[in-house]
Every structure is written in structure tokens, then in C-alpha cells.
Amino acid sequence: MNNNYKQIVKVAHSNIAFVKYWGKRGRQYPLNPSVSMLIDQCQTKTQCSYQISDQLQVESFQFEGKEQFDFGKRIEQYLESISEVYPLAKRLRLRFESENNFPHSAGIASSASGFAAIANILAEIEWLENNVRLSREQISTLARLGSGSACRSISKAPFNLWGKTKFDLGTDDYSLDLDEKKYSFSEKLADTILVVNQSQKDVSSSFGHSLMNTHFYRESRIEQAHENTRCLLNAIEADNFTDFGEIIENEALSLHAMMMTSMPSYTLLHANTLRVIEKLKDSREKGEIMAYFTLDAGPNIHLIYPESQKDQVKSFVSEFCLDLCEKIIWAPHFGES
Ligand code: DP6
């Protein structure tokens, strides 16, 4: 390695949305507000070697030891696109080595933690080269310009809000750490990921977002997300996990309903996703478990529950899920030991 290259290592967590960002406009602005939680156990670690140069160049981007030419190009385009807000971008020659501590085929958004780690690296370069500390808001903005959901991975609070709401909270530019004193449950939440299918999804999120522009339900979906954001925050503030759970399930199914009713339409849910959901509802009705589900843009299920439900969740998983899932990822919430 050329000695002129300086090295930085940064880590960022993935996040799971409870109110979903679905649809965007302009420069990566969301059509609607979204609320998320960091997934403590799932993180991306990226090492960057850089030098100041006369032009921008991403020399390599290795992911888990393998060169990812296309992703390197995407990062280069991203850096070009942010040069107005981050002028140093035009003068960087960079090499990246990145790894996730979670399986990339598990349906956990790796672009969120990936771009959040890169935004943290850019902030560090700004500090080293210009002696300027970027604010949390500026770093979140840089992450957003890479991948929308990444702006919510620059977070320290349990819950994070991105997007302007109708009640004077939030902005489309970056995400906010929701005040922990006001917005937290008396018990920390845990997230166990039931990996129904590990194969790569064949429809990208970007394509899915674009279908919202002409979607028949576009306006009502935006309305619904605003209303669900308001109710979700009220439920967290009131420490009401049942209301919270009903909203996150409504959001998860609404996201997939948008996909199934877009033109063209597509389906990412698998038969086993629906089987697990039915089992969960059944167990909940019988009073055996207090857990709710959410889904990302894929078939895998995130079981969300207060920590004290861990034993019940373990029994539920071993009784009903092992035959229906390829893998289980236990991921306690950020902030726990
Ligand atoms: C379903 O952030 O991956 O996970 O902005 O095009 O990179 P881009 O999309 P991305 O979309 C995530 C969509 C989602 C819901 C969410 O995380 O809010």
C-alpha cells in the first residue's frame, strides 16, 4: 500500500423501519415520513484508504474480500453527485474494504448500514483534511443521498424519524434521533429475524420506489404513513406496545400491498411468510406470546417484542418456525449488552 494513503475505519448499524419509507422524489427525498430502530447486531464495517488527488476516483471497492466493480462505480457516482454539499468529494482517490457481520442474503438492508458507514468516513476525512466537524444532521444528509434508509442509521437513540410530518416534527433532509426520555418503551425491544428465504430479491427497492410515482394509491399511502407515524409515536410515548404492534403490522402489509398493486405488480412474500404470520397471530390470540411482525422489501419476518418475551419467542420459534425458515437471526436492540 502506498504510504500517501491515509486509513479510516468506520462502523454503522442497520435499521428496521416500523413506518416504511416507500416512494421518493427529487434528490432522494421521501414521499412520506418513516420511523425506525437500529439493529444492534447487524453492522457494516468499512475501511477506507484515501489520498487527496486532482480528481475523484474509487480505485476499488472490496466486499468481504471480493472486488465489487459495480458498487465501486455506484460510490463514484454518489461522490460526484454530492460534490455541491461535500466539495472534497471531487478530490478524493479512494479504496474501500467492507464487510457485514450479518448474511447479506438475509433480507436485512445492507445499503443502509453500508452508506451510513461511508458517510461516517466522509465526515472523518473532512475532519482530517479541513479540520471541520460535520454535524450529525450533515452526516445523515450525506447518507441519505447514498440510500434513503441510510440516513436513519446515523443514530444513537432507540427510535429515529425521517421525513417531515404534519405535526411539526421531522425534516426530509435528514433523520432525527427521537428524544429518548419521551419516546422509549419501559422495556427495550428485541428483533429476531426469521429468514424465510435467503435468495436475493429480484426487484430492487429503487425500482419499487419509482413505481409509487404513478401508483393508484399514491396519495392514500402518503396519508396513511403520516397517520401511522402520528399514532406510532403516541403509542411509544404512552408505552403502549399493543397499539405499536398493530401499527407496525399494518405498515408491513401496506408496503407489500403497494408492491402487489403497482403497475407492473410484483410479490416478494413467500407462502411460508404468510404461514408464520398466521401462526404468530394465532399464538398471540391464545395469549402465548406478545410479539408483532414487520417486513422489509422481502419475504423475511422481523419479530419485534419486549425483551421479557424472549422465552416465549424462543418456544414459538422452535415450535413453528424452524421448518418454515432457512435461518433465525437473534438481534437484540441497540443499547443492550
Ligand atoms: C422497504 O433505502 O433501500 O426498506 O433510497 O433507493 O436506496 P433507496 O432505497 P432504500 O429503501 C428502503 C425501503 C424499505 C423501507 C424502509 O427502510 O423505510
Side-chain angles (χ1 to χ4, degrees):
M1 165 93 36
N2 183 327
N3 287 336
N4 296 331
Y5 282 77
K6 293 182 192 165
Q7 277 196 14
I8 298 170
V9 178
K10 290 287 172 188
V11 165
H13 298 272
S14 185
N15 71 75
I16 177 72
F18 294 136
V19 175
K20 308 292 180 180
Y21 147 54
W22 201 237
K24 53 178 154 179
R25 59 184 174 77
R27 291 205 57 193
Q28 206 85 303
Y29 289 115
L31 284 188
N32 61 266
S34 57
V35 182
S36 65
M37 174 176 94
L38 287 192
I39 310 180
D40 183 34
Q41 298 301 73
C42 300
Q43 58 189 41
T44 297
K45 183 175 163 192
T46 302
Q47 178 181 304
C48 172
S49 313
Y50 77 94
Q51 61 175 208
I52 300 296
S53 149
D54 48 3
Q55 68 174 61
L56 164 65
Q57 192 187 358
V58 174
E59 294 181 326
S60 85
F61 191 101
Q62 291 197 1
F63 182 72
E64 293 175 356
K66 283 201 197 116
E67 186 61 38
Q68 303 289 331
F69 184 75
D70 288 350
F71 199 69
K73 282 278 153 242
R74 180 169 166 196
I75 301 298
E76 210 170 82
Q77 281 162 9
Y78 159 67
L79 289 167
E80 250 162 42
S81 77
I82 61 169
S83 62
E84 263 166 50
V85 283
Y86 186 85
L88 253 184
K90 280 191 282 197
R91 299 174 46 225
L92 294 175
R93 187 183 290 247
L94 309 118
R95 299 169 183 170
F96 293 97
E97 284 169 49
S98 188
E99 60 189 37
N100 290 346
N101 74 344
F102 56 95
H104 34 103
S105 49
I108 304 162
S110 59
S111 68
S113 49
F115 272 102
I118 289 171
N120 285 329
I121 286 169
L122 296 178
E124 186 71 17
I125 296 178
E126 185 70 19
W127 170 241
L128 293 177
E129 299 304 321
N130 291 338
N131 226 5
V132 173
R133 282 257 182 244
L134 297 188
S135 65
R136 187 212 160 283
E137 290 75 21
Q138 286 170 309
I139 302 172
S140 175
T141 303
L142 289 177
R144 184 201 96 226
L145 292 165
S147 175
S149 54
C151 76
R152 300 185 312 235
S153 276
I154 310 290
S155 175
K156 296 221 163 9
F159 298 107
N160 210 260
L161 169 75
W162 172 38
K164 191 165 165 39
T165 62
K166 291 186 176 166
F167 46 92
D168 246 13
L169 194 63
T171 155
D172 288 346
D173 291 307
Y174 48 82
S175 78
L176 297 180
D177 282 341
L178 287 168
D179 178 3
E180 197 169 341
K181 284 195 210 97
K182 190 168 175 189
Y183 298 108
S184 57
F185 285 107
S186 49
E187 259 193 82
K188 284 183 177 135
L189 299 186
D191 176 1
T192 292
I193 304 162
L194 311 175
V195 183
V196 169
N197 189 286
Q198 299 190 64
S199 47
Q200 297 285 348
K201 53 188 179 184
D202 32 34
V203 186
S204 73
S205 284
S206 294
F207 182 65
H209 285 296
S210 73
L211 294 177
M212 284 310 289
N213 291 332
T214 50
H215 202 294
F216 188 80
Y217 296 124
R218 184 180 187 275
E219 296 313 313
S220 33
R221 166 59 198 151
I222 294 172
E223 237 0 85
Q224 180 195 34
H226 276 277
E227 184 57 10
N228 277 345
T229 300
R230 193 180 64 79
C231 295
L232 189 93
L233 296 188
N234 284 345
I236 299 172
E237 197 181 344
D239 200 16
N240 187 333
F241 182 69
T242 310
D243 281 1
F244 171 87
E246 281 169 9
I247 298 163
I248 72 170
E249 292 192 350
N250 175 262
E251 273 293 311
L253 295 175
S254 298
L255 169 71
H256 284 266
M258 290 303 110
M259 297 172 192
M260 289 189 230
T261 50
S262 57
M263 299 278 250
S265 69
Y266 61 106
T267 310
L268 297 179
L269 298 180
H270 282 217
N272 283 351
T273 314
L274 299 175
R275 288 192 182 103
V276 172
I277 289 174
E278 284 313 310
K279 292 282 180 204
L280 178 67
K281 286 188 168 171
D282 194 43
S283 297
R284 215 163 52 213
E285 267 158 35
K286 289 182 184 146
E288 292 166 358
I289 192 172
M290 186 42 121
Y292 290 84
F293 71 86
T294 187
L295 304 157
D296 235 328
N300 303 322
I301 294 173
H302 290 248
L303 270 187
I304 308 292
Y305 55 94
E307 269 266 286
S308 60
Q309 285 286 308
K310 199 163 190 166
D311 290 342
Q312 287 86 333
V313 170
K314 276 187 177 157
S315 310
F316 174 78
V317 168
S318 56
E319 195 172 344
F320 300 116
C321 304
L322 297 182
D323 288 349
L324 300 173
C325 300
E326 294 179 356
K327 186 185 291 184
I328 312 292
I329 301 175
W330 297 90
H333 172 34
F334 179 71
E336 270 162 28
S337 55

